Amino acid sequence: MEQFGRIDVVLNNAGYGQLSSLEELTDDEARANFEGNVFGTLNVIRQVMPHLRQQQTGHILNLSSIAGITSSFPGWGIYCATKFAVEGLSESLAAEVAPFGINVTIVEPGYFRTEFLSSGSMRIPAGSMQEYALVRQSEAAHQKQIRGNLPRDPVKAAAAMIQIAKEPNPPLHLLLGQDAYDMAQWEALTVSTGSA
């Protein structure tokens, strides 16, 4: 506001992944993931809303994940819960701020070539339990095989978000990546059951 006198677009992208079974996760680990992924987003929204409301215009893009739509990934329960929370607060926010001319878009990417799977962006529990073989397999796969081998270009994702931010009637949900699109296809099946 001091530099430009207004805010046109807000992108909430802070957060990290927590990979652990629900049983082995401590309260502190679970709460920390919610603190960063959910309350971080909420805190930014609360700070920027007075400015956007006064302007009667603006666009908030909240980074969720395909994991905010579907959560059948062993070891990602708390992370998915944080992204489900981002989805819920964003949908409600969109309804609340529409009268002020403010748009909200929930960005739901799949895997992109970012630092998301690095040690600074993905945490594992302090007390791992070997009984959770599927969780340990997911952990090993994400740390050793998937990290560094992601096909999708984050520059293209950024370009898509910039394009959406310019739209006068942007979508509430923006899936990014073929994997995210494919995982969300159950919606197409739901729609196909409509009346004849």
Side-chain angles (χ1 to χ4, degrees):
M1 289 300 294
E2 289 174 12
Q3 181 79 24
F4 300 107
R6 61 182 289 118
I7 297 173
D8 296 302
V9 178
V10 176
L11 175 63
N12 277 307
N13 188 33
Y16 66 92
Q18 176 68 56
L19 204 167
S20 55
S21 74
L22 294 175
E23 182 181 358
E24 64 196 354
L25 196 64
T26 68
D27 277 355
D28 287 344
E29 290 168 329
R31 290 176 193 279
N33 204 211
F34 269 89
E35 187 66 38
N37 295 3
V38 180
F39 287 99
T41 297
L42 180 59
N43 290 338
V44 170
I45 290 167
R46 288 191 295 221
Q47 289 296 311
V48 76
M49 274 309 303
H51 303 291
L52 299 182
R53 234 182 341 95
Q54 185 177 18
Q55 292 174 179
Q56 294 287 296
T57 186
H59 194 158
I60 298 172
L61 291 95
N62 290 334
L63 260 288
S64 177
S65 167
I66 188 58
I69 297 174
T70 181
S71 61
S72 57
F73 314 111
W76 291 97
I78 285 297
Y79 174 75
C80 290
T82 69
K83 294 304 182 177
F84 271 70
V86 168
E87 296 272 336
L89 72 84
S90 299
E91 289 183 0
S92 184
L93 177 67
E96 293 169 2
V97 302
F100 305 118
I102 301 165
N103 294 311
V104 176
T105 297
I106 309 163
V107 183
E108 296 142 333
Y111 285 118
F112 278 82
R113 221 171 25 250
T114 67
E115 294 299 314
F116 176 70
L117 298 178
S118 69
S119 61
S121 293
M122 185 183 78
R123 297 182 187 168
I124 57 173
S128 295
M129 299 171 62
Q130 294 310 308
E131 294 88 345
Y132 285 98
L134 291 176
V135 175
R136 300 290 78 82
Q137 290 168 11
S138 178
E139 190 178 294
H142 281 87
Q143 290 179 329
K144 297 175 182 164
Q145 296 160 351
I146 299 171
R147 184 173 67 195
N149 294 309
L150 299 169
R152 282 168 206 85
D153 184 354
V155 173
K156 291 181 179 178
M161 288 185 271
I162 291 169
Q163 180 181 341
I164 287 298
K166 295 176 182 177
E167 293 293 322
N169 296 302
L172 177 58
H173 295 272
L174 176 63
L175 290 161
L176 290 178
Q178 188 67 48
D179 55 342
Y181 178 80
D182 290 344
M183 283 187 252
Q185 277 306 293
W186 56 267
E187 289 184 24
L189 181 61
T190 301
V191 172
S192 73
T193 62
S195 59

